[in-house]
Amino acid sequence: MPDSNNNLSYDAVTYLSRQFGFTQPDRLGAVASLLGMRPLAGNRCRVLEIGGASGGNLIPLAERYPQSEFLGIDLSARQTADGRKAIEQLGLKNIRLEVGDIMEMGPELGEFDYIIAHGVYSWVPPAVAERLLEVCAARLALQGIAYVSYNAYPGWRFHAVARDLLLYGSRNVADPAEKLRQGRKALEFVARYAGGIDSGYRAWLGREEARVRGWEPSQILHDDMETNNHPCYFHEFVDRSRRAGLKYVTDAQLFAVSIDHLPAEVAGQYRALAPGAVEVEQYWDFLQNVGFRRSMLCRAEVELSPAPLAGRALELHVSSPAKPKGAVDLQFASSATFASANRTMTLTDLMTKAMFLTLGEAWPGTVQLGELIRTARGRVLAAVQPLTDEQWAANFLHGLPSGEIELWTHPPEFTTSISQRPVVSPCARLQAQSSTVVAGRRHETVRLDELTRQVAMRLDGSRDREALRNEFANLDTALNHLARNALLIA
Ligand SMILES: C[S@@+](CC[C@H](N)C(=O)[O-])C[C@H]1O[C@@H](n2cnc3c(N)ncnc32)[C@H](O)[C@@H]1O
């Protein structure tokens, strides 16, 4: 049942195809623009996705941007057929999904402003991975951006034992469901009883078992148990990209590396060990045990700024899910805690506190950075330093811990107010027919409970709230969930 890459075929076990927020043009474009590029906006660009399975990432984008063109190419005929069916049901004319092999992608495809390859590079034989980078170099427009994610070391050195156990435990079985069952049994057994003299070993295997515990069967079978799974170090990926004719831009997770937040003494030693930009990021991976990377690449001849351009930042839109925990003092520089689902940060600077307070109120919406600075200035009760907007923008970007904000070239379009006739996008309504996981307008995965799923399916604008309330006693709870998760378009 293996495909031409010698993997378990994606025709036999299809992948759960979803959207990934950080792959969308308006977010990639914002990060690139901060470093001096002039990328096209999401609403008027050409996007190629390589190995995008059944189009879960591209279809919601094609619906959002009718003036842009989308092409998805994947080796699996079955996944491609599934995606085409959804495109037909949605009546989208600006997207094509084709069956094709990375090894055969040539100039007939034309040029693209964005090329996305998420979760592909590490799961194909090395020759195909090399070709993937060459295709990016050859098919990118001059200001085009490629996004390539991959399994990275050192994190994958640790995951590899779990993978080895999953494979060893299921070595005598061919049927995918049984393979998964036996592999999991082996991993659970060893994670539970591992020990001997090294209790750290058991703790580590326990974390590995927990890592894959809630995963969908297709995700474990493909992500962890594929024949081809070739992680690499970040510096190796940068070298390979350079050889293919590409330049590393930065990580799609904005400010993934932030030395400035380390204690001064540690930051000093760090800088001495890592004189160049690649070394800085590589040491970060060693320090943080990074196991997955999302790299942005551009054509070799593009000039990049070594540091974020504050002037450009003022034009961009910002969002942050961080919300204050308790009251925030805007008169004194006392600490305030802001938390999101994944992290907590402590802020003392008055302007930064006022900016995050404003962003928290706007969430899931965005605020243009220039406007955010002006609003924050108005909110701070004490006198703040007389800096220009550009200087405040530089301070804000400089002071950010990794991953606290998202930047957008254009705000995603949705409404957070609940109208008389609320509407959910046709794409999300279609997804809700068969799944509790749908695409929000921020291009993130949104999970729906059964009530909200039922409500979402009906929100095509033909029913007013009165009619809906007759059908659903808890309508408001569902509508609020949809609004908070950027699912309402009217
Ligand atoms: C792990 S899945 C990732 C799917 C999707 N990008 C995601 O992250 O959800 C890898 C995808 O790459 C496709 N693929 C593997 N080898 C390929 C090749 N040589 N040419 C085109 N697509 C390929 C597979 O069919 C599969 O859909």
Side-chain angles (χ1 to χ4, degrees), residues 421-425 428-430 432-433 448 450-464 467-472 475 479 482 488:
R421 283 179 188 274
V423 182
V424 161
S425 75
R429 272 190 273 127
L430 180 67
Q433 284 178 18
L448 306 178
E450 189 48 28
L451 164 74
T452 316
R453 188 177 81 85
Q454 292 293 338
V455 172
M457 277 193 292
R458 286 168 178 72
L459 297 191
D460 57 4
S462 66
R463 299 165 176 86
D464 64 13
L468 289 161
R469 197 158 281 119
N470 290 336
E471 227 179 314
F472 301 102
L475 178 70
L479 289 177
L482 295 171
L488 297 178

